[in-house]
Amino acid sequence: MSQRKVLDILNNVLLGTPSEFEKNHFFEILIEVARMRIRFFSRLKYFSLEKNEISMDDIALEAISNLLSNNEEDYLEYLRNSFLNWKPKIENEEEAENFVNTIIDQSIYQTIAKKYGELDPLFAKILKEIRRANPKKYKLFERLDTEYISLKSFNPTKELNIIPQDELIFLGVQNFPDNNYIKGWIDEIFNALKEFTDYSPCLPVNSLALKIKFELTAAQKIEFNVIPDPEIQMLVREGIIFSLQKVEKKLENLSKKKKKYNERILTMFREALADIAYDLLQGDEIKNYYEYLKVYDKSMTVKEYRDNYRAQFEYLIKLLKNEIAQYYLK
């Protein structure tokens, strides 16, 4: 991102007394990061800028502009408050980079969603259906100029723990909606949030619309062609092992918070993920996902896998691949 440490730059610009030159340098960095993120997500087929004639530079500039506060005397107010109130507290370089990537990603998706709403009739229809979602089950509210939809029982005054858009995109559902109806997708995505994650039952309306558009128009399989050539095998090993550890930690945290899995299932998922990581490391072809779990439960049938494990296990695999992609993007 810069030869200087990201944490040092954030502390200086957001908490110190930076010069105009330092502020301008800070925004040049943010815009360059936005460009990299947009190229990355576009390669994964989350959206097509070219098809909709949307300029990558326009998206990058608008996404960064959206992070500025309306307060003319302190246009860094929103970024500063986000930095100070971020959980967990930002204390090292990895957390600082994650903070920058996360807030930029969120702004990018909101910006692209706005463009899609203007250009894409299907996206406009999805937005309309979300805003007409069952009022007995869902509610709409706004915070910091962002429109959200949540379960009616959710208290929006609590801290919002929103699933990142890249995780939302490949969050699987247990049951596909009857006739592929938009309203059915809303229900199933919120069910998956509750069942498979520890994020808040709350989503930005634009983010949910992008997820539904992806499900209605794109293939379910996402390819992550990010593994470098064999000449840098040590970097491959480092990236895959680091990514596996992050996904295992997420799985353990989810199990502790929601008490979702007994130790047998937790071990089965953990060991199967390690096997997949090993095959990636060796450059082997990835087998049918069911086969990885069946190694640790010989009696498991295909029906049992599909009914009880498929959505969660494939979500974890996509998390692993995404972490690897993020690692090499840095």
Side-chain angles (χ1 to χ4, degrees):
M1 186 178 298
S2 171
Q3 290 185 349
R4 287 185 62 189
K5 287 187 177 296
V6 177
L7 183 57
D8 291 342
I9 295 173
L10 290 171
N11 279 322
N12 178 50
V13 175
L14 299 181
L15 306 183
T17 53
S19 65
E20 286 302 313
F21 174 81
E22 289 173 316
K23 289 180 183 178
N24 290 337
H25 179 59
F26 174 62
F27 283 107
E28 288 173 1
I29 292 171
L30 294 184
I31 291 169
E32 186 55 37
V33 172
R35 289 192 180 110
M36 288 191 297
R37 306 300 291 177
I38 293 166
R39 284 195 295 269
F40 171 65
F41 293 127
S42 185
R43 285 203 307 272
L44 300 184
K45 312 301 182 186
Y46 289 0
F47 48 79
S48 172
L49 298 180
E50 296 82 3
K51 181 179 178 182
N52 291 280
E53 297 182 351
I54 299 175
S55 163
M56 180 180 74
D57 280 345
D58 286 348
I59 294 295
L61 290 170
E62 187 170 338
I64 300 306
S65 176
N66 289 340
L67 296 175
L68 303 182
S69 301
N70 293 327
N71 182 352
E72 293 183 4
E73 296 181 358
D74 184 12
Y75 58 85
L76 294 173
E77 181 180 29
Y78 170 71
L79 282 168
R80 181 182 301 106
N81 290 338
S82 298
F83 180 65
L84 289 173
N85 297 318
W86 198 257
K87 300 290 179 63
K89 187 176 179 180
I90 301 168
E91 296 180 329
N92 59 49
E93 189 67 5
E94 181 183 341
E95 291 167 351
E97 291 184 2
N98 178 65
F99 166 74
V100 171
N101 287 336
T102 300
I103 61 170
I104 288 177
D105 287 355
Q106 291 171 348
S107 189
I108 286 171
Y109 279 112
Q110 295 303 310
T111 302
I112 291 173
K114 179 182 177 183
K115 298 291 185 185
Y116 269 149
E118 297 168 354
L119 300 171
D120 188 333
L122 173 59
F123 191 83
K125 176 178 174 57
I126 295 170
L127 282 174
K128 184 177 180 180
E129 290 298 324
I130 291 173
R131 293 181 177 124
R132 290 165 45 179
N134 184 353
K136 294 182 179 179
K137 187 172 182 180
Y138 302 103
K139 62 185 176 186
L140 297 168
F141 65 93
E142 286 193 7
R143 179 175 290 185
L144 293 175
D145 296 325
T146 298
E147 186 179 18
Y148 290 90
I149 180 171
S150 73
L151 293 180
K152 194 167 184 179
S153 58
F154 178 69
N155 181 0
T157 62
K158 293 182 177 179
E159 180 183 345
L160 297 183
N161 180 24
I162 303 298
I163 184 172
Q165 183 79 46
D166 56 334
E167 286 192 35
L168 176 63
I169 287 291
F170 52 69
L171 176 66
V173 299
Q174 192 72 43
N175 302 298
F176 289 98
D178 292 339
N179 299 317
N180 221 16
Y181 286 149
I182 294 171
K183 290 181 179 178
W185 275 109
I186 296 172
D187 291 339
E188 291 301 332
I189 290 166
F190 270 93
N191 288 340
L193 267 178
K194 178 181 178 181
E195 182 73 11
F196 303 139
T197 80
D198 59 353
Y199 294 108
S200 301
C202 176
L203 292 167
V205 167
N206 285 338
S207 295
L208 178 57
L210 275 175
K211 165 66 172 175
I212 294 174
K213 175 181 167 61
F214 178 80
E215 295 293 350
L216 291 176
T217 61
Q220 295 300 308
K221 187 177 182 182
I222 305 175
E223 294 292 347
F224 294 85
N225 298 316
V226 298
I227 306 301
D229 59 58
E231 293 182 2
I232 47 175
Q233 187 67 30
M234 184 58 69
L235 183 59
V236 174
R237 177 179 297 278
E238 178 184 281
I240 291 177
I241 291 175
F242 176 80
S243 301
L244 177 62
Q245 289 171 344
K246 290 191 71 171
V247 174
E248 287 179 341
K249 184 176 181 181
K250 181 180 282 288
L251 177 60
E252 290 174 3
N253 289 340
L254 177 62
S255 182
K256 289 176 183 176
K257 288 181 180 179
K258 304 187 72 170
K259 303 189 185 308
K260 182 172 175 58
Y261 306 115
N262 59 35
E263 189 58 35
R264 183 187 70 84
I265 296 176
L266 192 64
T267 300
M268 181 171 66
F269 277 172
R270 186 188 300 117
E271 295 297 328
L273 284 170
D275 290 343
I276 290 174
Y278 179 80
D279 284 351
L280 285 171
L281 195 61
Q282 299 301 314
D284 294 341
E285 183 177 350
I286 301 299
K287 303 187 288 287
N288 184 300
Y289 295 151
Y290 160 70
E291 297 295 335
Y292 283 97
L293 282 187
K294 188 172 174 61
V295 170
Y296 300 98
D297 183 351
K298 303 294 185 184
S299 64
M300 182 187 298
T301 64
V302 172
K303 184 178 186 306
E304 183 182 4
Y305 169 74
R306 288 174 177 168
D307 291 346
N308 300 330
Y309 302 117
R310 179 194 61 81
Q312 176 70 93
F313 187 52
E314 293 183 12
Y315 170 56
L316 291 170
I317 293 168
K318 289 173 183 177
L319 273 182
L320 173 64
K321 291 183 176 181
N322 188 60
E323 287 292 347
I324 296 170
Q326 299 280 8
Y327 182 90
Y328 291 114
L329 181 64
K330 295 176 183 178

